[in-house]
Amino acid sequence: MALSRGLRCCQRVFSWIPVLIITSVVLWSYYAYVFELCLFTLTNTLEKVAYLLVFHVCFVMFSWTYWKSIFTPPAAPCKKFQLSYSDKQRYEMEERPDAQKQILVEIAKKLPIFTRAQSGAIRFCDRCQVLKPDRCHHCSVCETCVLKMDHHCPWVNNCVGFSNYKFFLLFLSYSMLYCVFIGATVFQYFLKFWVRDLPNGPAKFHVLFLMFVALMFFVSLMFLFGYHCWLVAKNRSTLEAFSAPIFVGGPDRNGFNVGIRRNLHQVFGEDRRLWFIPVLTSQGNGHFFPLKNRSESQNPLLASEEIWEESDEESEEGSLVEDRDPSVTIEMEE
């Protein structure tokens, strides 16, 4: 036990190394651009003010989206998808796999679950003891089931899913903007240092490397951002792009694709004024999504979110009453 805890502790410490690398590069780029380029190299005051103003806007938006991508906790399934005490007892006491599957089927009838495992059974997480909502997957790194899980990103040391997918996309876009602005404004001074029109000094090293680093990060981010734009247009996660979600009728990569406009609204919301600001505007609560092959009247979609919220509150009140019931307490202890 002590050894496993020590290994987990080491794993958690080392998992922050990619974040520290990114943070160190960004802090160095801030120093190199603001001090070495703008304050020590530029001579035109108007140019200094314009560069510094735009740079700090890009820097603030980049830092804000990166912070939100890192520190927004991944959303987990609500209590409705957890097995009740009686269902859990019944499931664990049943030794026949077919009977266990049937128990999960009976429970899932009350829930908006339309995807299945490869075997055709209801998707169930033995570690978290929950029925997995559509598009939900278990992350072995975060050790929890994550709603609409896209992937676990080491560069943000967090799972990218329903709760922070918009923030992750904005982080990629503002990272590209940050690199483009630096590259565009540094380029002329990069050439002047390269042909020795400007005197050698500490600024030369920083300006030359700023250009190379900005170009290198921009190229890598461009491909990643383009890939995720394609995923959003198709309404797929990274996991669904590699392995199509399975429905009752079989696998379907476009099962959640309801058109580009509605796909965008699911991630960014309907208010376009908030699309480029890192605040949560995604539609729904991550437990159910519109299906391509079902009409809204047949499918508990985003329109029924208020009903689900009310039922969640009622279930929470019911659980509080059960907790106060002494008979339940004795049964649990036994």
Side-chain angles (χ1 to χ4, degrees):
M1 290 292 291
L3 180 60
S4 61
R5 288 180 181 176
L7 291 175
R8 287 182 182 178
C9 183
C10 291
Q11 183 182 5
R12 290 176 182 175
V13 171
F14 285 122
S15 64
W16 285 101
I17 291 179
V19 175
L20 293 176
I21 292 174
I22 295 295
T23 304
S24 301
V25 172
V26 172
L27 291 177
W28 164 79
S29 69
Y30 182 90
Y31 167 79
Y33 191 90
V34 172
F35 292 93
E36 296 294 344
L37 177 66
C38 293
L39 299 183
F40 301 153
T41 303
L42 300 184
T43 55
N44 188 309
T45 304
L46 183 60
E47 190 178 18
K48 281 185 181 181
V49 173
Y51 280 12
L52 287 172
L53 182 62
V54 179
F55 173 82
H56 279 91
V57 171
C58 296
F59 181 80
V60 168
M61 294 307 296
F62 164 81
S63 302
W64 189 6
T65 54
Y66 192 41
W67 177 275
K68 295 284 283 186
S69 299
I70 295 173
F71 294 106
T72 300
C78 67
K79 291 182 179 180
K80 278 185 170 293
F81 291 82
Q82 297 176 356
L83 295 183
S84 64
Y85 178 73
S86 58
D87 289 333
K88 186 177 179 181
Q89 289 282 88
R90 191 158 56 103
Y91 179 81
E92 292 177 349
M93 292 178 64
E94 184 59 64
E95 297 180 354
R96 296 170 299 171
D98 292 339
Q100 288 182 329
K101 290 180 181 179
Q102 187 59 37
I103 292 173
L104 296 180
V105 168
E106 293 175 4
I107 301 171
K109 287 180 181 179
K110 306 173 185 177
L111 302 170
I113 297 177
F114 299 99
T115 54
R116 299 291 185 266
Q118 291 186 349
S119 62
I122 299 295
R123 299 191 310 132
F124 180 72
C125 181
D126 290 320
R127 295 183 180 181
C128 299
Q129 292 291 298
V130 297
L131 278 74
K132 294 181 181 179
D134 292 344
R135 317 184 82 174
C136 176
H137 298 274
H138 185 87
C139 176
S140 58
V141 180
C142 297
E143 298 181 345
T144 185
C145 284
V146 180
L147 295 178
K148 196 188 175 184
M149 179 177 174
D150 188 86
H151 69 287
H152 185 91
C153 181
W155 299 107
V156 299
N157 192 27
N158 196 6
C159 255
V160 178
F162 175 78
S163 62
N164 64 346
Y165 188 57
K166 176 190 174 183
F167 307 148
F168 180 74
L169 291 175
L170 291 179
F171 160 63
L172 294 180
S173 60
Y174 284 119
S175 299
M176 288 179 58
L177 182 63
Y178 186 73
C179 293
V180 168
F181 177 77
I182 289 179
T185 54
V186 165
F187 184 67
Q188 59 175 319
Y189 298 98
F190 169 82
L191 293 178
K192 289 180 180 180
F193 276 118
W194 191 265
V195 299
R196 298 183 179 179
D197 283 351
L198 291 175
N200 290 334
K204 179 179 180 179
F205 165 81
H206 291 285
V207 170
L208 293 178
F209 270 86
L210 262 179
M211 189 66 200
F212 285 121
V213 171
L215 181 62
M216 179 184 66
F217 274 92
F218 172 76
V219 172
S220 59
L221 287 167
M222 179 179 62
F223 288 105
L224 183 59
F225 181 69
Y227 176 66
H228 277 279
C229 286
W230 177 77
L231 290 177
V232 171
K234 296 291 186 180
N235 203 342
R236 298 176 191 168
S237 66
T238 300
L239 295 175
E240 291 166 353
F242 285 97
S243 178
I246 301 174
F247 299 87
V248 176
D252 186 1
R253 292 186 184 275
N254 295 313
F256 297 105
N257 187 355
V258 290
I260 295 179
R261 183 170 170 271
R262 293 180 67 189
N263 293 342
L264 285 172
H265 287 172
Q266 283 189 32
V267 177
F268 294 100
E270 296 184 359
D271 191 349
R272 296 187 180 184
R273 296 172 298 178
L274 300 176
W275 278 17
F276 301 102
I277 301 176
V279 293
L280 185 61
T281 55
S282 302
Q283 292 181 332
N285 58 12
H287 290 85
F288 42 87
F289 300 89
L291 300 180
K292 180 186 68 173
N293 296 324
R294 296 179 68 92
S295 65
E296 292 192 11
S297 60
Q298 294 175 323
N299 191 16
L301 306 183
L302 305 176
S304 62
E305 180 181 355
E306 295 180 359
I307 300 175
W308 271 77
E309 288 178 352
E310 291 176 1
S311 60
D312 284 341
E313 292 176 359
E314 292 175 359
S315 62
E316 289 178 0
E317 292 177 358
S319 63
L320 289 174
V321 173
E322 288 181 357
D323 289 341
R324 295 193 189 102
D325 190 347
S327 61
V328 175
T329 306
I330 293 172
E331 185 180 357
M332 290 288 289
E333 290 176 354
E334 292 177 353

